[in-house]
Amino acid sequence: MPMQSWFRDAKLGIFVHYGIYAVDGVPESWSFYTGQVPHDQYMRQLDGFTAARYEPRDWARLFARAGARYAVLTARHHDGVALWDSAHGDLDVVRRTPAGRDLIGPYAEALREEGLKVGLYYSHSDWNHPDYASTVHPQPPEEEIRANPYASARPGEEDPAAWARYLAYRDGQVGELVARFRPDLLWFDGEWERAEEQWGLRELAELILAGNPDTVLNARMLSHGDYATPEQGVPLQAPDGPWELCLTVNDSWGFQHQDEHHKSVRQLVRYFTETIGMGGNLLLDVGPKEDGTIPPAQVERLEGLGAWIARHSEAVYGTVAGLPAGHHYGPSTLSADRRTLYLVCFDPPRESVSVRGLRTPVKRVTVLGTGAELGHDVIGGLGEVPGVTWIDAPRAADVDERATVLAVELDGELDLYRGTGRN
């Protein structure tokens, strides 16, 4: 089926890694998998997970102020702790933590009240499930997967019946998420620990789409995914088709007490515009504390990014990927009718801004946010090779402290020269 149009137009989503790992502020799931903390110590965090100040409406309002159009919450990470009262297994925050209630339903309701699409993260793998480490990837991408007792059976100790039970458990939980919360997007993870056939991804996709045919699936459903999910770094070349960059505000996915290495709002604007300028969405991650509050430093950054987006929304929503690299020193977007080009300038322009290879005549150039009109001129060119379009630099009063956007109105649809010049 075709990709849902809302996803391509969303531009910004908020990723939320929320779970028991926030109690001690340790890496989510991985900290016991790698031996950073003992397994029993990790699991004792169940006793401290209160969600005492969990207000999903506050989250949803914050995400809307940030300019996001969807959010993705970790319904169940690799540690197997579900944030809802699952009938499949008993490792969930309703039964096993002081929180004592379903956290997914109120989240989904709050997002929809704000007009945001609902995304849920679910890990294929569950390092706590007694039947999980019962088989082995035939060709693991990393040999350490075979050696980790949480991930794989020992050689010669594979148990097909146990693996079948595990898949029934996973399918049961995913079925609950689809039936009870009807997510617009399911964001899977953990796919590297098994081959696609072992996971039964065709059957899983059929189960999901039978319950809700409009569900968007990420690439960690492998050949059944709808879009690519690069992680923690803007790709130098855009993936084919729809895609999304998932990125942390600091260095951690979940809440970690010591991690104050937050990206600045200016840096987040750069990540965001570089991503949408290549045709992708940014899925920006925050890590709430165990009580459900998002750290102030992360709130401040979401609101700062949202303020910039609000001033420049014309260059964000309803646009497509802009100029290929080499035509402008910075990212750009293009209106859906291909008649307005939006140039992003991270630093205050000095003297002029240039656009190379532009064949379509320019009608007018203005500064988004202030409306100031800028002069422009074309210099040079020979035969089929167009000259360089030079745009006068805006006045200091028209420069945005985080990134200035110039709206270049074209006299027709964008037409670019991509050749090598006269030879």
Side-chain angles (χ1 to χ4, degrees), residues 13-232:
I14 305 299
F15 213 175
V16 187
H17 275 66
Y18 185 40
I20 66 168
Y21 36 85
V23 174
D24 291 343
V26 295
E28 60 292 333
S29 307
W30 290 97
S31 50
F32 76 80
Y33 179 90
T34 61
Q36 178 180 338
V37 300
H39 179 264
D40 60 346
Q41 177 180 326
Y42 182 94
M43 297 309 294
R44 280 199 295 271
Q45 293 178 105
L46 288 164
D47 299 331
F49 186 76
T50 67
R53 299 173 64 192
Y54 174 59
E55 296 290 348
R57 283 185 173 84
D58 291 345
W59 285 11
R61 294 183 190 116
L62 171 62
F63 301 163
R65 292 197 303 275
R69 297 294 173 85
Y70 66 108
V72 178
L73 171 64
T74 49
R76 202 214 72 191
H77 208 268
H78 316 313
D79 61 11
V81 181
L83 298 189
W84 77 101
D85 51 333
S86 177
H88 300 272
D90 66 350
L91 187 54
D92 61 56
V93 298
V94 182
R95 296 176 179 88
R96 301 286 296 276
T97 77
R101 65 190 190 281
D102 163 44
L103 304 181
I104 302 294
Y107 155 84
E109 181 180 352
L111 288 189
R112 291 187 170 118
E113 287 176 356
E114 293 295 326
L116 276 65
K117 297 293 185 180
V118 175
L120 295 175
Y121 167 112
Y122 185 89
S123 174
H124 294 296
S125 54
D126 181 343
W127 297 330
N128 262 314
H129 195 281
D131 291 323
Y132 181 69
S134 58
T135 190
V136 181
H137 193 303
Q139 294 180 314
E142 297 178 4
E143 197 57 37
E144 67 183 37
I145 293 174
R146 288 185 184 272
N148 194 299
Y150 296 111
S152 297
R154 293 173 180 166
E157 296 183 6
E158 293 87 353
D159 185 343
W163 182 245
R165 289 194 300 270
Y166 177 77
L167 292 183
Y169 151 81
R170 181 208 59 184
D171 292 352
Q173 287 201 325
V174 173
E176 286 179 332
L177 294 176
V178 173
R180 289 176 56 180
F181 310 117
R182 296 192 63 78
D184 302 287
L185 183 152
L186 278 170
W187 208 104
F188 286 94
D189 200 7
E191 81 296 340
W192 64 87
E193 289 197 331
R194 302 287 186 268
E196 179 165 341
E197 295 74 20
Q198 289 176 302
W199 285 127
L201 294 187
R202 178 178 62 81
E203 294 81 2
L204 180 60
E206 290 173 352
L207 179 153
I208 294 165
L209 298 178
N212 181 9
D214 295 332
T215 310
V216 174
L217 306 174
N218 73 336
R220 298 173 195 195
M221 280 289 284
L222 301 178
S223 67
H224 299 278
D226 295 310
Y227 69 94
T229 56
E231 187 171 323
Q232 290 289 57

Side-chain angles (χ1 to χ4, degrees), residues 242-421:
W243 64 281
E244 163 198 83
L245 169 66
C246 51
L247 179 79
T248 52
V249 170
N250 52 7
D251 292 334
S252 308
W253 295 104
F255 174 72
Q256 294 189 34
H257 305 80
Q258 82 290 349
D259 187 354
E260 296 293 340
H261 193 212
H262 292 89
K263 300 168 182 66
S264 68
V265 174
R266 185 175 286 108
Q267 288 172 325
L268 293 175
V269 168
R270 184 178 288 248
Y271 276 108
F272 177 65
T273 54
E274 287 176 344
T275 299
I276 67 171
M278 295 172 67
N281 291 348
L282 178 63
L283 184 63
L284 185 60
D285 177 77
V286 295
K289 299 177 181 179
E290 68 80 19
D291 66 2
T293 58
I294 297 173
Q298 298 189 354
V299 171
E300 175 189 342
R301 281 154 178 81
L302 292 190
E303 291 183 331
L305 176 60
W308 185 90
I309 291 173
R311 289 193 299 273
H312 303 90
S313 60
E314 180 185 325
V316 175
Y317 307 114
T319 64
V320 296
L323 298 170
H327 290 270
H328 161 63
Y329 291 114
S332 60
T333 59
L334 182 64
S335 61
D337 65 4
R338 301 184 59 81
R339 290 175 175 266
T340 304
L341 189 61
Y342 300 99
L343 308 177
V344 181
C345 304
F346 293 130
D347 299 313
R350 297 171 59 186
E351 184 180 354
S352 56
V353 174
S354 65
V355 183
R356 294 172 295 287
L358 184 59
R359 284 189 173 127
T360 317
V362 174
K363 291 170 59 178
R364 190 169 76 127
V365 181
T366 55
V367 181
L368 276 196
T370 71
E373 190 162 346
L374 305 178
H376 62 275
D377 190 17
V378 178
I379 299 177
L382 178 65
E384 66 173 3
V385 183
V388 175
T389 299
W390 295 92
I391 300 168
D392 294 343
R395 299 172 307 158
D398 294 312
V399 171
D400 188 281
E401 63 173 332
R402 284 159 180 157
T404 303
V405 180
L406 309 183
V408 182
E409 299 176 33
L410 305 174
D411 191 14
E413 293 189 12
L414 176 68
D415 182 16
L416 290 178
Y417 173 75
R418 299 283 289 161
T420 58

